[in-house]
Amino acid sequence: MGHRIREWSPDQYYHVSSRGNRKEPLFLSGEDYSVFLHLLSKIHEKYPIELTSYCLMTNHYHLQIRSPEVSLSKVMALLNKRYAHYFNKKYDKTGHLFEKRFFSKRVEGLIGMAEVSRYIHYNPVKACMVSEPQLYQWSSYRSYYSSYTSYPFLNKQPLLALFNHCPQAYHEWCIMKSQ
């Protein structure tokens, strides 16, 4: 029996997540995180994907992503396949790196955009990896919190528009909602 066809709308954002097989780590070094983000950049060069938030955890990742030209399934298959190839080659492994097909859920409305982004950005805090989301290196939160340079695939404008283009207002809202 085949997989059901995933919903995809080119003008919608989706919360996408994927986890390591048997909950094993996807990222074992800083280089691994960097390679994953580099792969996102390379895919962005080929297909104009747009992320409003992301967070790479040890054994899974979260993306808030829109793919206006090609299906989300195509983008995610390309990303996961390329990363798995890199990881397996680097660590001399074989077989599946990812647990199963990626999770995706359509982000509903403007409030949904903010809520999903906050959830993604606060993942390292909930996992007790850092005390504040801006301290976590492998998340887009630092791009919102300060003038930290971001990747070309990150589009902060849709989210910041909800907060009158004021990063401080977004930061304060995240803190208030996370308490």
Side-chain angles (χ1 to χ4, degrees), residues 120-164:
I120 289 171
H121 285 146
Y122 269 77
N123 241 250
V125 175
K126 289 179 194 169
C128 298
M129 298 169 83
V130 292
S131 58
E132 298 175 327
Q134 65 270 24
L135 300 175
Y136 191 68
Q137 183 177 358
W138 307 110
S139 161
S140 56
Y141 192 81
R142 291 166 64 167
S143 295
Y144 286 94
Y145 184 76
S146 66
S147 59
Y148 179 76
T149 304
S150 65
Y151 291 90
F153 55 76
L154 184 65
N155 183 358
K156 299 184 290 186
Q157 295 313 310
L159 188 58
L160 287 179
L162 302 173
F163 298 92
N164 294 319

Side-chain angles (χ1 to χ4, degrees), residues 11-13 52 64 106-118 157-164 170 173:
D11 59 343
Q12 291 293 309
Y13 283 92
T52 57
Q64 189 171 8
R106 185 179 182 150
V107 176
E108 299 293 340
L110 299 176
I111 297 299
M113 286 281 292
E115 294 283 345
V116 168
S117 179
R118 180 182 46 79
Q157 295 313 310
L159 188 58
L160 287 179
L162 302 173
F163 298 92
N164 294 319
Y170 172 67
W173 179 83

Side-chain angles (χ1 to χ4, degrees), residues 43-158:
I43 291 169
H44 172 73
E45 289 174 11
K46 188 172 182 174
Y47 306 114
I49 60 169
E50 200 174 278
L51 279 74
T52 57
S53 55
Y54 67 85
C55 186
L56 311 182
M57 300 293 284
T58 306
N59 70 350
H60 69 285
Y61 65 81
H62 293 274
L63 310 174
Q64 189 171 8
I65 186 172
R66 180 173 82 97
S67 179
E69 290 186 8
V70 297
S71 75
L72 192 57
S73 291
K74 183 172 184 168
V75 170
M76 296 312 301
L78 190 58
L79 175 63
N80 284 356
K81 181 180 178 181
R82 286 183 178 176
Y83 184 73
H85 176 76
Y86 154 81
F87 187 92
N88 284 345
K89 185 175 181 179
K90 180 179 179 183
Y91 295 106
D92 195 29
K93 296 198 181 266
T94 60
H96 295 285
L97 177 62
F98 294 97
E99 184 176 74
K100 54 186 171 184
R101 292 174 75 202
F102 68 93
F103 161 85
S104 70
K105 183 175 182 185
R106 185 179 182 150
V107 176
E108 299 293 340
L110 299 176
I111 297 299
M113 286 281 292
E115 294 283 345
V116 168
S117 179
R118 180 182 46 79
Y119 172 82
I120 289 171
H121 285 146
Y122 269 77
N123 241 250
V125 175
K126 289 179 194 169
C128 298
M129 298 169 83
V130 292
S131 58
E132 298 175 327
Q134 65 270 24
L135 300 175
Y136 191 68
Q137 183 177 358
W138 307 110
S139 161
S140 56
Y141 192 81
R142 291 166 64 167
S143 295
Y144 286 94
Y145 184 76
S146 66
S147 59
Y148 179 76
T149 304
S150 65
Y151 291 90
F153 55 76
L154 184 65
N155 183 358
K156 299 184 290 186
Q157 295 313 310

